[in-house]
Amino acid sequence: MLDDFMWRAMLAGVLVAMAAAPLGCFVVWRRMAYFGDATAHAAILGVALALLLNVSIFLGVLTVALVMASCVSLLSGRGYAMDTLLGVMAHSALAVGLVAVSFLAGVRIDLNAYLFGDILAVGKNDLWIIGGGVALVLILIFWRWSSLLTATLSDELAHASGIQPRREQLVLTLALALVVAVALKVVGVLLIAALLIIPAATARPFCRTPEVMAIVAAGVAILSVTAGLRTAYVMDTPTGPTIVTLAAALFTLATITTQGWRLFRQRI
């Protein structure tokens, strides 16, 4: 029988997976993998500012993630290549955050918990915050699904349909910032991007429609969380990295399966 803390961890992980996987599909479609990484790296700076100002860590992380994502959106296409801009901002935010944490006198924090997650320490209040954030993300995705898809396919098609691509990018930015803020407790800063990208990349070869891909990606993410939690519990391994390792194993299995099937069909 699993203990109460394991059930809370399981629920938190499943909730985050439900939001991260479909959002990750847009990250994969738009080739924005490093965008999610940059937003996640800024979370450490949000933690430091929240402790400095004595406010909620969730609020601090959400605010900084929103500012980071908005800055990247506004500065993109203005003289810098996207990968260069993301690289500079991601690593700068992480470095400034780590330095800022070292200046917090009289405050002791476990950086490993923020870098790699501490899902087993999720409490009832954390569950309410995670649940609320996930609900907002799912509402945003459901509300803007058609417009987001159209803007993802082509800016010209979006303009022809009366959709503003910049607005849809800001919606996606808001959703990403929310996921980063609620996922911090579950998998940590360094692993959030993996939970966004790997399930979507795993589902992609098996799906013919965006809706099916989002559902399959959510299933892969939930399986990774539940199996990863159980494996970490049995083998006494770090929980967040174990979850991502299980997701990576599923991606590897999916890649081998699709490549093997392709070779088999070519030989027939």
Side-chain angles (χ1 to χ4, degrees), residues 176-193:
L176 271 172
L178 278 169
V179 166
V180 167
V182 299
L184 182 67
K185 190 85 171 181
V186 177
V187 290
V189 169
L190 300 181
L191 303 177
I192 290 173

Side-chain angles (χ1 to χ4, degrees), residues 17-18 21-22 199 202-203 212-226 250:
M18 288 172 59
T202 303
V212 172
M213 180 173 163
I215 293 171
V216 172
V220 171
I222 291 171
L223 178 60
S224 301
V225 168
T226 53
L250 290 173

Side-chain angles (χ1 to χ4, degrees), residues 71-156:
C71 286
V72 171
S73 296
L74 292 173
L75 292 175
S76 61
R78 303 197 179 194
Y80 293 99
M82 178 61 81
D83 59 343
T84 302
L85 186 64
L86 288 172
V88 170
M89 297 190 72
H91 298 298
S92 298
L94 179 60
V96 171
L98 291 173
V99 171
V101 166
S102 69
F103 283 107
L104 295 174
V107 178
R108 297 182 62 184
I109 64 172
D110 181 9
L111 274 179
N112 282 333
Y114 293 110
L115 291 174
F116 302 105
D118 192 10
I119 191 172
L120 298 180
V122 169
K124 293 181 179 179
N125 290 335
D126 295 320
L127 278 177
W128 282 109
I129 293 173
I130 292 171
V134 168
L136 284 174
V137 170
L138 292 177
I139 289 171
L140 270 175
I141 293 175
F142 181 78
W143 175 44
R144 305 302 303 174
W145 179 263
S146 179
S147 298
L148 283 169
L149 277 179
T150 304
T152 298
L153 287 172
S154 166
D155 285 353
E156 290 77 12

